[in-house]
Amino acid sequence: MKVSKTTAKSVLVKSNLPASDFVANPYAGCPHHCRYCYASFMKRFTRHEEEWGTFIDIKEYESQKLPKNLRGKIILLSSVTDPYNPFEVKYHKSREVLQLLANSKAHIEILSKSDLMLKDIDLLKKIPNLSVGISLNTLDDGFRKDMESGAVSVQRRLKALETLHKEGVKTYLFISPIFPYITDIKAICDRVSPHVDMICFENLNLRGSAKQDILNYIAEKYPQYLKEYQNIYTKGDISYWEQLESRIKEMSAGYQVPFVSYFYHDKIRKGGKKS
């Protein structure tokens, strides 16, 4: 990994995501090597020539001044990096951001594929309006290794949710990205529902070079699903996602926690509505 330090204008940036008002990305780049990652477009802004996943920039800020009146606003940490990537152990940039936001009266959401937030559990427990989400799309660690070779194991993520929940930290699971015919959402929900306050769902939305890479992977490892993947990602057929949304809505009646869907924001529904 190429590690550099960079300067950003401010800690928070206004968000275009349907469920957050601001985002904070303490790092640029990510070492998790997710094959489906959409965030490689950030190279247009970071001006890196290196391949996405082989560099990380540690951010310093020109100003730590926050926008006025953040009460009730939703701040996501993070949208195009993992705030608890392995470099957080050395640089503590996400902890610094959380300390800055702790008294902001905003609702702070953390989303990670890691369990490193456990080192900050002392701070997390002191922030009154905070939730911590773990991103997961399989219970099969072999598939996890194929898709997210640099991220921590499925078991470590599940254990992190259990620990946070026991310590009184509000938690949620982000089943994302859902791989058609591969991600077993029912099995995942059954496994995590005792340890979370909410379960969210997001479709696999392929862009750029990741699209052909994933299609090649499906052809090699799951050839029985290749035709369906081609219908979805080559022909633009969204009927699978429409049917899955209906199934998720039906499933939600059997769980004690709310379900929230973020499928195809601009096509199936705008924003995350509770199922």
Side-chain angles (χ1 to χ4, degrees):
M1 289 288 291
K2 179 181 178 181
V3 181
S4 306
K5 292 191 176 182
T6 189
T7 302
K9 290 184 178 180
S10 59
V11 175
L12 300 183
V13 176
K14 286 188 177 180
S15 172
N16 292 320
L17 296 173
S20 62
D21 299 294
F22 295 92
V23 295
N25 289 290
Y27 303 92
C30 181
H32 283 171
H33 301 290
C34 300
R35 293 176 70 159
Y36 51 78
C37 184
Y38 66 86
S40 59
F41 76 89
M42 288 297 297
K43 286 178 61 176
R44 297 201 302 264
F45 306 102
T46 64
R47 299 181 180 178
H48 279 273
E49 295 181 358
E50 298 86 358
E51 183 180 353
W52 182 260
T54 65
F55 67 86
I56 193 160
D57 291 344
I58 316 301
K59 289 187 181 180
E60 301 290 345
Y61 298 101
E62 292 179 4
S63 171
Q64 292 191 344
K65 185 177 180 180
L66 299 176
K68 294 181 179 179
N69 192 16
L70 288 172
R71 181 185 295 271
K73 300 296 184 181
I74 300 174
I75 299 172
L76 175 63
L77 188 77
S78 302
S79 61
V80 291
T81 189
D82 193 308
Y84 282 99
N85 70 76
F87 290 90
E88 175 67 11
V89 174
K90 179 177 180 179
Y91 293 101
H92 314 291
K93 301 308 296 184
S94 292
R95 183 178 177 91
E96 289 179 14
V97 170
L98 288 171
Q99 288 173 323
L100 184 65
L101 295 173
N103 297 314
S104 67
K105 308 299 183 184
H107 174 70
I108 301 168
E109 291 195 358
I110 297 170
L111 182 59
S112 176
K113 288 183 171 73
S114 179
D115 58 355
L116 286 177
M117 74 287 293
L118 295 178
K119 73 179 180 60
D120 288 339
I121 201 165
D122 61 324
L123 175 59
L124 301 180
K125 291 170 69 173
K126 293 177 182 177
I127 301 176
N129 198 1
L130 172 139
S131 57
V132 179
I134 295 290
S135 180
L136 186 72
N137 60 28
T138 184
L139 297 178
D140 176 2
D141 209 49
F143 184 74
R144 188 276 307 168
K145 290 177 182 177
D146 285 348
M147 289 296 119
E148 306 163 355
S149 60
V152 304
S153 69
V154 169
Q155 189 57 40
R156 284 176 60 177
R157 295 186 219 182
L158 294 174
K159 185 63 176 177
L161 280 174
E162 293 177 19
T163 301
L164 290 164
H165 197 67
K166 286 179 181 178
E167 291 290 333
V169 177
K170 188 176 180 180
T171 57
Y172 67 98
L173 180 73
F174 198 44
I175 303 181
S176 172
I178 295 172
F179 277 73
Y181 306 99
I182 297 173
T183 299
D184 188 340
I185 61 172
K186 179 67 164 56
I188 296 173
C189 289
D190 288 346
R191 176 66 178 80
V192 305
S193 59
H195 313 295
V196 296
D197 299 284
M198 182 170 65
I199 301 176
C200 305
F201 305 82
E202 185 179 46
N203 60 295
L204 173 66
N205 189 6
L206 297 176
R207 300 183 180 94
S209 61
K211 178 177 177 178
Q212 192 57 53
D213 181 48
I214 295 299
L215 290 177
N216 291 343
Y217 173 85
I218 296 299
E220 178 184 356
K221 296 291 184 71
Y222 297 90
Q224 68 272 32
Y225 301 140
L226 180 59
K227 183 178 179 180
E228 286 79 3
Y229 272 73
Q230 289 172 334
N231 286 338
I232 296 169
Y233 296 106
T234 303
K235 298 181 181 179
D237 182 358
I238 65 170
S239 61
Y240 174 85
W241 302 115
E242 293 173 329
Q243 293 167 13
L244 187 58
E245 276 222 310
S246 295
R247 182 187 170 205
I248 289 170
K249 186 175 182 178
E250 293 172 358
M251 281 177 52
S252 66
Y255 294 85
Q256 299 299 312
V257 297
F259 284 14
V260 179
S261 173
Y262 295 106
F263 283 4
Y264 279 116
H265 307 152
D266 58 339
K267 292 181 180 178
I268 293 181
R269 63 172 61 188
K270 179 62 178 175
K273 297 182 180 179
K274 291 184 179 179
S275 298

